Amino acid sequence: MKRRGRGKIGIVHTSCKRCSKPLVMTNRSIYGAYVAKTIYEQICSSCITSEEHHDLLRAQAGAILENGSSQK
């Protein structure tokens, strides 16, 4: 099955909104966790709190489970 509406994943160079360190990220969520990407996309690994990291991982896992179950 061919998926529609998905372009290539691009690489974006930016900076952390908290500490201004250079960041490299993708232009869209690889896992389909678009809300989490919008919230955490410009926070580097040094600045993200453990609670934010946990929320991000939970959102990614949920998106993976949701997208994986729709492909069956």
Side-chain angles (χ1 to χ4, degrees):
M1 170 188 279
K2 185 176 180 181
R3 292 182 171 239
R4 296 178 187 212
R6 292 192 173 201
K8 290 184 178 181
I9 295 175
I11 302 297
V12 178
H13 294 265
T14 186
S15 60
C16 176
K17 63 183 176 184
R18 294 184 182 168
C19 72
S20 300
K21 279 185 191 175
L23 276 177
V24 178
M25 60 185 204
T26 59
N27 63 340
R28 65 179 177 88
S29 175
I30 295 171
Y31 305 109
Y34 298 105
V35 173
K37 180 172 179 7
T38 302
I39 295 169
Y40 302 115
E41 69 181 342
Q42 284 187 289
I43 302 173
C44 72
S45 61
S46 298
C47 291
I48 197 164
T49 67
S50 58
E51 183 178 321
E52 290 170 332
H53 188 244
H54 178 75
D55 289 345
L56 177 59
L57 292 175
R58 186 177 11 198
Q60 288 175 343
I64 290 167
L65 289 173
E66 184 178 310
N67 291 331
S69 65
S70 68
Q71 291 181 3
K72 291 181 179 180

